[in-house]
């Protein structure tokens, strides 16, 4: 049976609770990659769905979901913001966010210290 990205992120989040250091970083990195892929997949779907929408309609939609909207944003950036708003409410994104927050509380993150 093939595991979906959502299920894999949920599995990683569960495993991360009892993992430490290097294992936690590996789990976090894999979950981050899956998060990014999920967002990109949704952006692609939304770009196709909103093909006929005017830029002004996209600006209105972005404002409606609560993201700040700058007049200089192009169509692709507006669609990305709409995709991000939708993606952040998915179980996969919520699990990843909780996982990353819990890891940060334990001093682990994917951004190297300088």
């Amino acid at each position: 049976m093939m595991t979906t990205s959502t299920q894999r992120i949920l599995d990683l989040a569960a495993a991360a609770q009892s993992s430490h250091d290097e294992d936690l970083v590996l789990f976090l990195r894999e979950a981050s990659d899956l998060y990014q892929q999920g967002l990109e997949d949704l952006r692609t779907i939304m770009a196709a769905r909103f093909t006929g929408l005017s830029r002004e309609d996209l600006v209105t939609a972005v404002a409606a979901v609560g993201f700040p909207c700058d007049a200089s944003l192009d169509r692709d950036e507006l669609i990305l913001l709409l995709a991000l708003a939708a993606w952040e409410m998915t179980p996969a994104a919520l699990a990843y966010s909780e996982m990353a927050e819990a890891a940060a509380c334990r001093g682990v993150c994917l951004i190297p210290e300088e």
Side-chain angles (χ1 to χ4, degrees), residues 12-54:
L12 289 166
Q17 294 175 7
S18 61
S19 66
H20 302 283
D21 303 327
E22 291 175 18
D23 286 339
L24 182 54
V25 170
L26 291 174
F27 292 157
L28 195 57
R29 185 170 291 123
E30 182 180 348
S32 176
D33 290 344
L34 292 168
Y35 176 99
Q36 297 300 323
Q37 184 60 52
L39 175 58
E40 177 56 25
D41 291 347
L42 184 57
R43 187 206 59 77
T44 300
I45 291 166
M46 293 184 91
R49 182 182 306 156
F50 296 140
T51 297
L53 244 53
S54 70

Side-chain angles (χ1 to χ4, degrees), residues 58-77:
L58 290 172
V59 168
T60 301
V62 168
V65 297
F67 277 115
C69 192
D70 184 305
S72 68
L73 295 177
D74 67 26
R75 182 176 186 79
D76 290 338
E77 291 168 322

